Amino acid sequence: MKANIEKIVENRGMEDVILEVVVPTEIVVEIKAGKRKDKSKKIFPGYALVKMIMTDESWYVVRNTRGVTGFVGPGSKPIPLTDEEVLNMGLEKRTIEVDFEVGDSITVISGPFETFVGTIEEIHMERQSIKAILSMFGRETPVELEFDQVEKN
């Protein structure tokens, strides 16, 4: 279904109206015979999410694509997801501007390590995370944290 929608969008030159088609997946780790294997698994099997500007033409194209059988939402037209719903599904991440530098002292403000203090070892802009060394129970422990989980001291 995803490929069908993308092909029609390309053929009709509608890239400015139908922006993106996504089949939400997650990486699942399977361990068989002592070997670790990362496997992609569909979060909502049978569903695709379409990021589009709703016009009569874009709506017609999507609903008449081979493989599309229906839509989530009451009534005949789909309802858009809220920004919060999209973020909660992990489909889009908010880009967070930070003024962190390697060596800065930080305090964890949310999550399982809340209130722990540490030092930034690495900054990963593409993942919106840092690797910090936290002092836990008298030991230095490396932990990966998202930008919004920490604040600079």
Side-chain angles (χ1 to χ4, degrees):
M1 169 177 30
K2 176 183 189 284
N4 293 343
I5 294 171
E6 288 173 339
K7 190 171 199 81
I8 289 172
V9 166
E10 185 180 329
N11 290 343
R12 291 188 175 212
M14 298 181 70
E15 293 90 350
D16 58 331
V17 181
I18 300 175
L19 309 169
E20 188 177 5
V21 181
V22 177
V23 176
T25 59
E26 63 184 345
I27 302 298
V28 177
V29 177
E30 289 183 351
I31 300 176
K32 288 185 180 178
K35 294 186 179 180
R36 176 190 165 118
K37 184 178 179 183
D38 291 347
K39 189 175 180 183
S40 181
K41 177 183 171 193
K42 291 180 182 175
I43 297 173
F44 308 114
Y47 289 85
L49 300 176
V50 180
K51 184 176 188 177
M52 67 185 218
I53 298 167
M54 189 74 151
T55 65
D56 288 340
E57 186 182 12
S58 65
W59 168 230
Y60 176 84
V61 165
V62 172
R63 84 171 179 260
N64 289 302
T65 299
R66 190 167 37 93
V68 175
T69 58
F71 296 86
V72 175
S76 60
K77 285 197 174 183
I79 56 170
L81 295 171
T82 65
D83 291 341
E84 188 176 330
E85 289 169 330
V86 173
L87 287 170
N88 288 340
M89 281 193 263
L91 301 175
E92 289 184 358
K93 288 228 175 207
R94 273 196 187 116
T95 302
I96 301 171
E97 295 290 323
V98 294
D99 62 347
F100 301 142
E101 291 181 22
V102 172
D104 283 351
S105 176
I106 51 105
T107 301
V108 182
I109 57 172
S110 68
F113 303 108
E114 191 170 353
T115 72
F116 283 96
V117 176
T119 305
I120 297 176
E121 288 276 301
E122 299 171 11
I123 299 174
H124 304 284
M125 293 304 288
E126 69 284 349
R127 292 194 309 238
Q128 300 281 298
S129 67
I130 62 163
K131 180 179 172 187
I133 301 296
L134 302 182
S135 179
M136 292 193 289
F137 314 114
R139 296 184 120 162
E140 300 285 302
T141 307
V143 177
E144 185 148 333
L145 301 161
E146 292 184 13
F147 287 163
D148 61 354
Q149 289 183 288
V150 298
E151 69 180 10
K152 191 173 166 181
N153 289 342

